Amino acid sequence: MTMRDSTSDDRTPEAVPSSSRRRVLRWAGGGLALVALTAGTVGCEDDAVDVEEPGSAGGDEPKGDGKGSDDGGGTGKKGQAPEPLWTKSTSAETYGDNDELVAAGGVVIASGSPLAALDAATGGQKWSLPGGAVPGAPLLLSADTLYLASSEYDGSVIGYAPASGKETWRSRLGKEYRQPRPIAVDGEQVYVIAEILEDDGSSRTNVIAALNSTTGRVAWKEQRDLGTEQNGIHAAVRGRHLVYTDFKKNLTVRDTASGGQVWTHKTTKTNYGFFTVHQDLVIVPQGNALQAFDLADGKEKWSLDASDGSLFREPAVLEDVLYIADSARTMWAVDPRTGKQLWKSEALADAGLQVPRQYVKAGDTLYGATDLDKQGGIIAMDAKTGAVRWTFNDKTGDYHAWLVATDGRRVFALHGKKLHALPV
C-alpha cells in the first residue's frame, strides 16, 4: 500500500479488450470537449427532442424480444418483454458510462446537447439546456440537484433543479483551473477534478477539490501527482470517505473533511475503474477475485473467487444485495457485508445472453443493461433467483452500449439516441 496516487500504467493497446471501447471513448471525453470549445459548437433548442407519439408512423415503437421462463417485471405474456409505454428520439451523446442516464423529479435525462428532460410518464419534453452536457462528464445527482460541468467552458460547475431545469447553484474553482468536472456529491459538498493551468496555457497536473453545496465556496483542494489524469474517473462518497479510481489502476480514498489521502491500492488491468460501496466497505472486482476493503484503513475484509478462472465484471449494490456477473455469464448475488454467496445463476449463459454491465432494481425484478446489440439489451431477471424473465431489444443494431435507469414506476432504456420507457 502506498500513500500517493501512482502514475504507472502498463497496459498496451493489445491488452485492452474490445469490451473496453466505451471506457476508451469516455477517457477521450476531455479531448472532445476541447474540440467543441475550439469549434464553438453549441446545441440549439430546435434539436432538443424529436417527439413522437406512441404508435405513430416511423418505426419508433419496438417489439419486445422475449426470452425467459418467469412472469414478472411488467411483462404481459409469459417470457415476453412488455411493450414500451413510449419511445422518443433524443439528443443523447453518451460514452456508455452509468451516469449518463438519470431519472429524478418526474423526468428522465440523457446526456447530450442540448440537454433535454423528458416527462417520465409521457415522454414529452419538460425543459432543455441549449448548451447541453460536456462530453464525457457525468450527470451527477444529489437528493434534489443535478450538477453539471458548464458547457460554456468558463470554469463553472452548476446545479439545476431536475424537475424544472432552473439553475439553483453555481461555483467556480478559480481562474487558474480549467474544465472542472463534478465526480461525486454528498449532503454537504460537491467533489470535482480540474486541470491546473500553466503560464503558457498548458496543463500537466490536476487538482481534486470539494465545493460547499450551499455556498459554492472551495472547502479544500489537493494537487494530485504529476501524470495522473482528470478523465476516466469513477467516484463515490460514504461518510468521511471519498473513493475514486481512474485508468492508472489506483483505488484511492480521501478524507472528505480535509482532502487528505487516507490510503490507495493498486487494481488489476481488468478492472477499468469500476467498484461499488456498501456501508464501510468498498468492493472491487480484481480479475477472478472480488475483494472488499475497509474504507477506514484499506484492509481486506473478505474475498470471493469466480469459478473456472472467469473474470468478474461491473458490480452494483441494490437494497443491500451485491449483484455481479462474470465473464462465463454466471450471475451472482452476494451479501456485501460478508461476501457470502446468496445465489448463483447460469440463466444468462443458458439463454445465450450478454453479461449486464449496469443494474437497477424495481420491485422484485433486477434489470441489467448490456454493452452492444444483437444478444444484448435490457435483461429482466428475478432478483431472488437470477432467472431470466425477458429481454428487450429495439433491433436497431446501434453500436452504443445500453443504459438503464428507473424511477421505481418505470424502467428507462437508452440505446444510441432512442429512449424507451418500459413498465415495471
Side-chain angles (χ1 to χ4, degrees):
M1 178 169 64
T2 65
M3 290 305 293
R4 295 178 63 83
D5 285 331
S6 172
T7 61
S8 65
D9 189 349
D10 57 5
R11 289 186 300 156
T12 64
E14 292 76 17
V16 181
S18 60
S19 64
S20 69
R21 183 177 185 276
R22 67 180 182 278
R23 301 178 179 94
V24 175
L25 286 171
R26 179 61 178 269
W27 191 18
L32 292 175
L34 288 178
V35 171
L37 175 62
T38 303
T41 56
V42 179
C44 61
E45 283 284 343
D46 292 339
D47 295 330
V49 176
D50 180 14
V51 178
E52 296 113 359
E53 295 301 323
S56 65
D60 266 358
E61 294 305 313
K63 303 298 181 182
D65 179 17
K67 295 179 182 179
S69 58
D70 295 345
D71 289 327
T75 184
K77 296 180 181 179
K78 187 173 183 178
Q80 296 295 314
E83 292 295 326
L85 299 169
W86 52 260
T87 293
K88 302 293 179 182
S89 295
T90 72
S91 57
E93 297 172 356
T94 64
Y95 298 89
D97 264 17
N98 300 350
D99 48 20
E100 296 175 322
L101 178 69
V102 297
V107 299
V108 56
I109 307 169
S111 182
S113 180
L115 188 69
L118 305 187
D119 186 287
T122 68
Q125 183 173 303
K126 296 294 289 290
W127 54 265
S128 70
L129 298 175
V134 172
L139 304 178
L140 187 62
L141 272 176
S142 69
D144 56 4
T145 305
L146 172 68
Y147 294 97
L148 301 175
S150 173
S151 60
E152 299 294 326
Y153 299 96
D154 59 359
S156 298
V157 178
I158 308 171
Y160 301 89
S164 66
K166 293 181 179 179
E167 182 178 323
T168 59
W169 180 90
R170 181 181 287 256
S171 179
R172 190 172 185 183
L173 191 57
K175 293 182 178 180
E176 64 270 36
Y177 304 102
R178 180 172 60 192
Q179 288 187 269
R181 297 182 179 207
I183 60 169
V185 61
D186 58 22
E188 298 180 356
Q189 297 178 149
V190 182
Y191 304 90
V192 301
I193 283 184
E195 299 174 359
I196 301 175
L197 288 174
E198 304 291 336
D199 291 339
D200 61 1
S202 65
S203 177
R204 293 185 293 275
T205 54
N206 62 90
V207 65
I208 186 167
L211 309 175
N212 186 285
S213 57
T214 300
T215 65
R217 295 175 180 170
V218 178
W220 53 259
K221 53 187 175 183
E222 293 286 329
Q223 181 172 332
R224 300 176 70 212
D225 287 352
L226 182 68
T228 56
E229 299 165 357
Q230 68 276 9
N231 297 311
I233 301 288
H234 298 271
V237 187
R238 282 296 182 275
R240 286 285 298 272
H241 300 103
L242 170 65
V243 191
Y244 61 94
T245 58
D246 62 17
F247 280 153
K248 293 303 182 181
K249 299 187 295 181
N250 284 335
L251 173 72
T252 303
V253 177
R254 290 184 180 270
D255 186 291
T256 58
S258 66
Q261 187 164 290
V262 180
W263 57 266
T264 185
H265 281 326
K266 280 292 182 185
T267 61
T268 69
K269 64 183 179 181
T270 62
N271 174 263
Y272 299 105
F274 288 95
F275 65 89
T276 189
V277 292
H278 179 70
Q279 296 179 356
D280 59 351
L281 298 177
V282 53
I283 304 166
V284 191
Q286 300 263 58
N288 62 358
L290 186 64
Q291 293 177 286
F293 301 102
D294 192 299
L295 283 172
D297 56 20
K299 293 181 179 178
E300 182 180 297
K301 289 299 184 180
W302 57 259
S303 180
L304 179 67
D305 292 332
S307 54
D308 302 323
S310 56
L311 306 178
F312 278 116
R313 302 291 293 274
E314 295 91 335
V317 174
L318 303 169
E319 298 180 4
D320 295 327
V321 176
L322 169 65
Y323 298 101
I324 192 169
D326 62 33
S327 58
R329 294 184 291 181
T330 299
M331 192 73 206
W332 302 65
V334 177
D335 185 336
R337 298 166 298 180
T338 64
K340 180 181 178 181
Q341 175 186 313
L342 302 177
W343 54 256
K344 188 164 67 170
S345 170
E346 307 291 337
L348 293 175
D350 293 343
L353 298 174
Q354 287 194 25
V355 171
R357 43 160 298 276
Q358 182 192 11
Y359 304 91
V360 298
K361 187 173 181 288
D364 63 354
T365 303
L366 179 69
Y367 300 88
T370 70
D371 254 335
L372 305 179
D373 210 7
K374 288 232 172 165
Q375 299 304 313
I378 303 300
I379 305 172
M381 295 165 279
D382 188 316
K384 295 182 179 179
T385 66
V388 176
R389 288 178 164 169
W390 49 259
T391 63
F392 174 82
N393 193 309
D394 58 13
K395 304 295 185 67
T396 64
D398 191 289
Y399 66 88
H400 284 88
W402 287 79
L403 296 177
V404 65
T406 185
D407 61 1
R409 301 178 63 185
R410 290 156 289 260
V411 170
F412 304 101
L414 179 67
H415 189 212
K417 293 185 178 297
K418 293 295 183 182
L419 180 60
H420 314 278
L422 305 175
V424 169

